[in-house]
Amino acid sequence: MSEKTSTRGRPRAFDRTAALDAATRVFWQKGFTATSMNDLCEAMGIGSPSLYAAFGSKEQLYTEAIRHYGAQGAPQLCDALESAPTAKLGVEAFLRFSARSLACPAGPSGCMVVLSAVASEGVAGLADMIVEERKRSLKMIEARLQRGIKEGDLSRETKVKALARFFVTVQQGMSIQARDGASSKELDGVAAMAMGAWPGGRR
Amino acid sequence: MSEKTSTRGRPRAFDRTAALDAATRVFWQKGFTATSMNDLCEAMGIGSPSLYAAFGSKEQLYTEAIRHYGAQGAPQLCDALESAPTAKLGVEAFLRFSARSLACPAGPSGCMVVLSAVASEGVAGLADMIVEERKRSLKMIEARLQRGIKEGDLSRETKVKALARFFVTVQQGMSIQARDGASSKELDGVAAMAMGAWPGGRR
DNA sequence: TACTTTTTGTATCGTTCGACACAAAATCCT
DNA sequence: AGGATTTTGTGTCGAACGATACAAAAAGTA
């Protein structure tokens, strides 16, 4: 972001994005508080002075890691929700994509943002930022439901806010499930069950 | 539990249960890692030697706090689930009781066990214990559904495991919601929506 | 080549962490 | 009363924490 790309001086010996990616993984796995500078330096393959020079502090690195994390998965998640023809299919795609990605062996299980619920506590500034980040999911679902009403595939008397909160709750619960070892298939079962709550009957 | 109640020696100057209760609150609010010995001593109103003498260590105090927490809320939760006439009403009571208690202003929002997902990471021994603790909820719901089948209020071809996981997922998601500031009423809306997924149609 | 600028590795800062040593204080037992 | 036993408060331990000071190293610029 506000990164100086000066041409003068000794060039940086590491790939900043790769280092950020490594840091993101560690934070994702262990949470902010439980992750030490040692953990970070080791995972990123750099010394602490380089870390401070490139990212400012542990806290700033964490916020950047959150953004980095969101920049990877969020677009697909948004797309799943938005590009489906109906609101119901959109939400279903949203849940099923979550089911698949939250238990993906390629990364730590569960959503980094959702699981940061507790870990970021005690640092004050970070907690608010995380809460705000989570509320974006809620707003996103709400907007999709509203669109569904406007486009006629969802009844006008649908309780949009309650329904949106329900689906977000399910998705956040899936993060806990994933961390506890639930498989993608099991999470997909949860997604399918949740769709049974869609207003206007099953089938 | 394995507490020596020796009559000899200088008597303890604090109420052990009250101290445990205070410690539980702090752990509940901040998580294991983010809670320091200083936080605990201050909240419990005792010095660290007294804490170690009475509870062994920070880690042992935490496990005892988890049990203490469960001993308070779990019986009511179990009762809500078990004493209802049908499986559906049982699960509904389970969810609605959760909705009420998870956003209760009397204590920190959210379930202590569920929210310990991340916070306890990095200590190894505690993570497993917490995961195990969470799985008990799943087993409890499964058992209630099985009973419903046996008693005829639930179809024999119900996917018990998937349905149970769904409801547990919803309940765990509610903990995150509660921590993010959702009200009891909003959580109850989530519970109501979840009941819409009950197999065999709504109403 | 000499100077400026930035990064690197080493080494360490002051703080806080969890945990405990120690002796004074408080109770029971004889 | 006097010993036995346990808890209390004070003080501090070594380790780990996040964060830097510092000088050597590596680049561009003149």
Side-chain angles (χ1 to χ4, degrees), chain B:
Chain B
M1 298 300 140
S2 59
E3 191 59 17
K4 295 173 189 160
T5 40
S6 64
T7 170
R8 299 270 295 235
R10 176 173 174 173
R12 187 177 282 140
F14 62 95
D15 180 350
R16 191 179 188 276
T17 304
L20 175 59
D21 203 76
T24 302
R25 293 217 156 208
V26 184
F27 278 136
W28 185 2
Q29 173 67 39
K30 309 183 65 171
F32 177 79
T33 310
T35 300
S36 70
M37 285 296 298
N38 233 337
D39 295 332
L40 291 171
C41 290
E42 197 168 335
M44 302 165 83
I46 61 177
S48 57
S50 299
L51 192 155
Y52 279 90
F55 299 98
S57 70
K58 182 189 175 189
E59 205 167 318
Q60 289 177 44
L61 173 58
Y62 182 74
T63 70
E64 204 165 331
I66 289 282
R67 293 185 192 286
H68 180 63
Y69 173 82
Q72 289 182 325
Q76 303 174 65
L77 202 60
C78 288
D79 191 65
L81 185 66
E82 302 294 344
S83 69
T86 69
K88 179 175 184 178
L89 287 173
V91 170
E92 181 162 12
F94 169 84
L95 285 181
R96 298 197 115 111
F97 178 81
S98 296
R100 215 175 322 124
S101 60
L102 290 181
C104 177
S109 300
C111 169
M112 180 181 179
V113 177
V114 172
L115 291 175
S116 293
V118 184
S120 63
E121 297 238 10
V123 190
L126 290 182
D128 301 338
M129 174 247 190
I130 292 287
V131 168
E132 218 53 42
E133 203 71 29
R134 272 199 293 267
K135 285 189 177 169
R136 286 176 47 189
S137 302
L138 185 60
K139 292 298 167 193
M140 200 171 68
I141 305 275
E142 280 182 13
R144 184 62 186 89
L145 296 183
Q146 283 294 358
R147 197 186 113 194
I149 290 181
K150 203 174 70 179
E151 296 178 353
D153 56 74
L154 189 56
S155 162
R156 213 171 308 273
E157 55 253 21
T158 304
K159 294 177 184 174
V160 170
K161 284 187 178 293
L163 192 61
R165 189 179 292 275
F166 165 72
F167 285 115
V168 168
T169 302
V170 170
Q171 194 222 9
Q172 291 178 350
M174 286 198 295
S175 276
I176 310 283
Q177 287 291 314
R179 268 290 157 94
D180 285 3
S183 68
S184 272
K185 184 183 271 185
E186 286 169 324
L187 292 187
D188 196 69
V190 170
M193 289 289 178
M195 292 315 295
W198 194 268
R202 202 147 302 101
R203 124 194 66 276

Side-chain angles (χ1 to χ4, degrees), chain A residues 32-194:
Chain A
F32 176 79
T33 310
T35 299
S36 70
M37 285 296 298
N38 233 338
D39 295 332
L40 292 170
C41 291
E42 197 168 336
M44 302 165 84
I46 62 178
S48 57
S50 299
L51 192 156
Y52 279 90
F55 299 98
S57 70
K58 183 190 173 188
E59 205 166 317
Q60 290 177 42
L61 174 58
Y62 182 74
T63 70
E64 204 166 331
I66 290 282
R67 293 184 193 287
H68 181 64
Y69 173 82
Q72 290 182 325
Q76 304 174 66
L77 203 60
C78 288
D79 191 64
L81 184 67
E82 302 295 344
S83 69
T86 68
K88 179 175 183 179
L89 288 172
V91 171
E92 182 162 12
F94 169 84
L95 285 181
R96 298 198 116 109
F97 178 81
S98 296
R100 214 175 322 123
S101 61
L102 289 181
C104 177
S109 300
C111 169
M112 181 181 179
V113 177
V114 172
L115 291 174
S116 293
V118 184
S120 63
E121 298 238 11
V123 190
L126 289 183
D128 302 339
M129 174 248 190
I130 292 286
V131 169
E132 219 52 43
E133 202 72 29
R134 273 200 293 267
K135 284 189 177 168
R136 286 176 47 190
S137 302
L138 185 60
K139 293 298 169 195
M140 200 171 68
I141 305 275
E142 278 182 12
R144 185 62 185 90
L145 296 183
Q146 284 293 0
R147 199 187 112 196
I149 290 181
K150 202 173 71 179
E151 296 178 353
D153 56 74
L154 190 56
S155 163
R156 213 171 308 272
E157 56 254 21
T158 303
K159 294 177 183 173
V160 170
K161 284 188 176 293
L163 192 60
R165 189 179 291 275
F166 166 71
F167 285 115
V168 167
T169 302
V170 170
Q171 195 223 8
Q172 292 177 351
M174 287 199 294
S175 276
I176 311 284
Q177 287 291 315
R179 267 292 158 94
D180 285 2
S183 68
S184 272
K185 184 183 270 185
E186 287 169 325
L187 291 187
D188 196 69
V190 170
M193 288 289 178

